[in-house]
Amino acid sequence: MKKAIFVSSLLLSGLVSASAFASPTVRFSGVCANGDFDASGIEIGYSNLNLDLDESNGKIASAECTITTTLPARHGFRITASDFKLQADALVSDPNGLASVFVNHRFNGQDLNGVSAITRKDGPLRAQQLTIGATGCDKPVELRTVVKVKAKNAIVLQQDALARVVSYKLQYVQCP
C-alpha cells in the first residue's frame, strides 16, 4: 500500500510540474523565418531553421537565424533556462576548409557569452551551454538566440543532421 501511495504521489507531482509549464510564444527571423518549435515538458525544440550550407568554391557562405522565445510569468514561480544544445554535422572537402557554428543568447535583455564550435575536418559540430539564466519570482522571460553558421570548402548539415537538435530546457521553479 505504501508503494502505491508513493508512486501515485510521484505521478501527481510530475503532473503538477508539467501543468505549470505555460505555452511559449516563439518568433523566428533571418534564414529561419519559417521555423517551427515543439514545447513538450520542460524542453523546447526548434526545427526548420534553414541552416544547412554547401560551399565548395573557396568562398565563405554564412547563414544567420534569430529565435525569440517568450515564456509568461506564473504567480509564485521563477523561470530558469538551461542546457542549450545545437548539433550539426560538418563535411570538410579541403585542407583549407572549415565549418563553424556560433550561438549567442540574450536573457531578459542581458547578453551572455556566446558559444561556438569550429572544425577543419569531417565530424559533428556541437555548441552547448548548461546555464543561461533565471528570472525573479513572478517574472516572465524573453530569450533571444542568434545562431550563425559558416562554411568554406565545406558542407554544414544542421537540419539534416541525425540529431537535429536545437533546444533549451525552460522550467518553472517554485519561489521560496
Side-chain angles (χ1 to χ4, degrees):
M1 182 70 171
K2 287 184 180 180
K3 265 189 184 177
I5 292 171
F6 176 71
V7 170
S8 65
S9 67
L10 278 177
L11 289 172
L12 182 59
S13 69
L15 290 173
V16 169
S17 64
S19 67
F21 190 76
S23 296
T25 57
V26 180
R27 295 184 316 273
F28 298 92
S29 61
V31 299
C32 63
N34 294 319
D36 199 7
F37 74 98
D38 177 36
S40 54
I42 62 172
E43 189 167 293
I44 297 180
Y46 306 92
S47 59
N48 298 326
L49 301 182
N50 200 25
L51 292 171
D52 293 353
L53 293 177
D54 183 354
E55 172 44 55
S56 56
N57 296 324
K59 298 178 182 176
I60 296 178
S62 63
E64 185 173 317
C65 166
T66 302
I67 305 167
T68 305
T69 304
T70 305
L71 198 60
R74 290 193 60 104
H75 182 68
F77 289 86
R78 62 186 173 93
I79 302 168
T80 63
S82 63
D83 201 13
F84 171 83
K85 294 178 189 168
L86 181 144
Q87 292 180 212
D89 290 325
L91 303 168
V92 182
S93 61
D94 183 287
N96 294 320
L98 68 88
S100 70
V101 294
F102 174 77
V103 181
N104 186 281
H105 313 278
R106 178 179 286 167
F107 185 87
N108 281 355
Q110 180 179 356
D111 287 323
L112 305 172
N113 291 333
V115 292
S116 63
I118 300 170
T119 188
R120 291 189 173 275
K121 58 184 181 178
D122 292 357
L125 284 169
R126 289 188 182 99
Q128 184 170 5
Q129 204 161 17
L130 296 179
T131 304
I132 307 299
T135 66
C137 286
D138 305 329
K139 303 286 184 194
V141 70
E142 181 175 279
L143 184 59
R144 190 210 66 197
T145 307
V146 177
V147 178
K148 297 177 183 178
V149 178
K150 291 186 179 181
K152 177 182 177 187
N153 290 329
I155 298 172
V156 176
L157 299 172
Q158 192 283 315
Q159 187 62 31
D160 294 331
L162 293 176
R164 295 187 181 145
V165 173
V166 177
S167 65
Y168 279 103
K169 285 187 181 173
L170 294 170
Q171 192 170 15
Y172 287 100
V173 178
Q174 198 160 19
C175 295

